[in-house]
Amino acid sequence: MDAEKVHEAVADGWDEDLMSSLSGLVAIPALSAAYDAGWERDGHLRAAADHVRDWITSRGLPGAQCEIVQLDGRAPLLVAEIPATDGGAAGGTVLLYGHLDKQPPLGDWSDGLDPWRPVLRGDRLYGRGSVDDGYSGYAAVSALAAVRAAGGDHARAIVLLETGEESGSPDLPAYLEHLSGRLGEVSLVVCLDGGGGDYERLWLTTSLRGVVQATLTVRVLETAAHSGIASGIVPSSFRVMRRLLDRVEDSETGEVTIPEMNVPIPPDRRAEAEALAALEPGVSARRFPLVGGMRPVSDDDVELILNNTWRPTLSVIGAAGLPDPAVAGAVLRASTSLRLSFRTPPTVDAGAARDALVRILTTDVPYGAQAEVHDFMLLDGWQAPASAPWLTSALDEIGDQVFDAPCRGFGLGGGIPFMEMLSRRYPGAQFVVTGALGADSNMHVPDEWLNIPFAKQVTEAVAHILDAHARH
């Protein structure tokens, strides 16, 4: 395959109508179902799938078939099938994955920016879903087209774009079962929902943490009471909540103390963290906008990386029962609810962790208060298999030809539900989890943006991986 022609084909593809179509996708408020109870009525998820399907169809890839699959009551799934080139027919199936659903706007965006209005500033495309990860389907199809334009080969390819990833991919098991005969024997999975620490190299995700989310509600009264009359007699629901949280987290260190959420850290992952810390000392703390005088939880870069990738953590991400301070009355409230989000190590069993959490928080509750743990969202983590020799060789070439810097592996603190599902279904497949996300891309928060030159390089790298996979 002609590397220069790959570069030219990718650049031309991005600079022509790809950017226009991607901008149109950003403008669709395709909130994931977890954030839009009326998603089916509103039709935005279907509109996003229709939009990208039309673009893929317009590419004219020989023999390509593109359709939207939607099972009853489930968010739609966009599936594009591209036949193998003559030289790639024996390579099984390569599955290229991304998602079209989006997080909510989540706060005020900067002046001139809006979650549903694409804004191009220099090399940045701003808007919700631009980098997480609306670009993924465009990059996958463009990589396949570039392979063909440069005289390379690729195996039979399935581009699968779901619309429920931000909700934990609850519909994917049903779709995988529904499509199992069509998918065939998957030998390579390319996920474009990842990224890395900078825009200088291709980053490969070697592990993903799992998730255990739940709402903890503590009730102390049938109805609220005047705080001057009830306090000292009835314990505050918030104080009971604090004592329960102390059972699962050391508030001094942040250590999650639930045994079922802790695992030994593999030596190779610790070595990976040490290499990453040496690459750019202090970067783990610098990439976040800490307030003045604030410091991270440790001064040791390696420990920060391991905290973020192989140790469990607790974040309180929501609350109910607490009025705004400006209108808070002298009331001892009847209940307090907190949304707890545990990030768990890649090899933790989320179901076992959930059961332990419920047992710990609902047994012998202080003062006999009512404690309920409900509204669960569970996600098992994932660890990548060792790279096959052909993939290692391809990554070395990509480091030389595309980025002029070696590829790097690292653990990601977040999760991608599809990876764990696929690794169980296709245990012999190779996994490439990468993408255009950067630490400052603002995914899930205001001012999300896509680094366009880097996205082009990622597309180019995927083209090289597809060709290497077909040839090995």
Side-chain angles (χ1 to χ4, degrees), residues 422-433:
L422 280 183
S423 65
R424 280 189 285 109
R425 186 172 287 266
Y426 303 109
Q430 288 287 285
F431 283 76
V432 176
V433 181

Side-chain angles (χ1 to χ4, degrees), residues 106-122:
L106 237 62
D108 296 327
W109 290 48
S110 298
D111 289 345
L113 300 179
D114 184 277
W116 314 127
R117 182 170 61 86
V119 174
L120 186 62
R121 291 182 178 174

Side-chain angles (χ1 to χ4, degrees), residues 176-218:
L176 286 177
E177 187 62 32
H178 178 71
L179 297 170
S180 59
R182 182 171 173 182
L183 293 179
E185 189 57 40
V186 174
S187 55
L188 172 64
V189 176
V190 178
C191 171
L192 289 168
D193 194 25
D198 59 35
Y199 303 108
E200 306 300 322
R201 69 200 76 239
L202 188 71
W203 291 89
L204 301 174
T205 300
T206 56
S207 64
L208 296 160
R209 284 194 295 182
V211 174
V212 176
Q213 281 190 16
T215 298
L216 171 60
T217 298
V218 174

Side-chain angles (χ1 to χ4, degrees), residues 195-472:
D198 59 35
Y199 303 108
E200 306 300 322
R201 69 200 76 239
L202 188 71
W203 291 89
L204 301 174
T205 300
T206 56
S207 64
L208 296 160
R209 284 194 295 182
V211 174
V212 176
Q213 281 190 16
T215 298
L216 171 60
T217 298
V218 174
R219 296 183 181 87
V220 297
L221 290 167
E222 296 294 338
T223 58
H226 190 297
S227 61
I229 296 174
S231 62
I233 299 173
V234 179
S236 161
S237 61
F238 193 85
R239 181 160 69 86
V240 176
M241 178 73 74
R242 287 164 55 194
R243 289 184 61 182
L244 290 177
L245 292 182
D246 282 343
R247 295 180 176 183
V248 298
E249 181 196 45
D250 184 326
S251 60
E252 287 290 326
T253 65
E255 177 187 357
V256 173
T257 56
I258 302 173
E260 290 83 353
M261 290 190 184
N262 285 273
V263 299
I265 299 173
D268 58 336
R269 297 311 182 203
R270 180 175 287 276
E272 185 178 84
E274 292 170 351
L276 186 60
L279 183 65
E280 190 175 354
V283 69
S284 294
R286 288 200 304 272
R287 68 187 190 183
F288 300 106
L290 300 178
V291 298
M294 178 71 184
R295 61 183 184 276
V297 300
S298 173
D299 295 327
D300 187 319
D301 288 341
V302 175
E303 294 306 303
L304 290 178
I305 293 169
L306 293 174
N307 284 348
N308 185 242
T309 55
W310 277 91
R311 294 190 181 112
T313 57
L314 169 61
S315 300
V316 176
I317 60 174
L322 296 164
D324 187 278
V327 296
V331 174
L332 196 154
R333 296 171 297 100
S335 66
T336 299
S337 294
L338 295 181
R339 184 67 174 169
L340 310 180
S341 179
F342 291 90
R343 293 288 176 170
T344 56
T347 55
V348 158
D349 183 310
R354 172 203 57 206
D355 294 345
L357 179 68
V358 173
R359 183 181 67 253
I360 292 169
L361 294 179
T362 60
T363 301
D364 296 328
V365 179
Y367 304 103
Q370 294 180 1
E372 180 187 5
V373 188
H374 52 107
D375 295 338
F376 291 99
M377 186 178 84
L378 304 181
L379 168 63
D380 285 324
W382 171 82
Q383 184 169 201
S387 294
W390 71 264
L391 180 55
T392 300
S393 178
L395 294 173
D396 289 342
E397 291 180 8
I398 288 167
D400 292 337
Q401 297 179 4
V402 180
F403 290 93
D404 198 27
C407 302
R408 289 275 183 174
F410 80 122
L412 189 64
I416 305 173
F418 196 37
M419 294 305 100
E420 191 274 334
M421 295 179 197
L422 280 183
S423 65
R424 280 189 285 109
R425 186 172 287 266
Y426 303 109
Q430 288 287 285
F431 283 76
V432 176
V433 181
T434 187
L437 284 166
D440 59 349
S441 295
N442 295 332
M443 58 280 195
H444 291 210
V445 297
D447 300 353
E448 178 180 339
W449 64 280
L450 172 70
N451 183 318
I452 297 169
F454 186 62
K456 292 179 181 179
Q457 288 180 298
V458 170
T459 305
E460 194 174 339
V462 171
H464 284 279
I465 291 170
L466 292 171
D467 181 66
H469 169 254
R471 289 186 288 104
H472 85 273

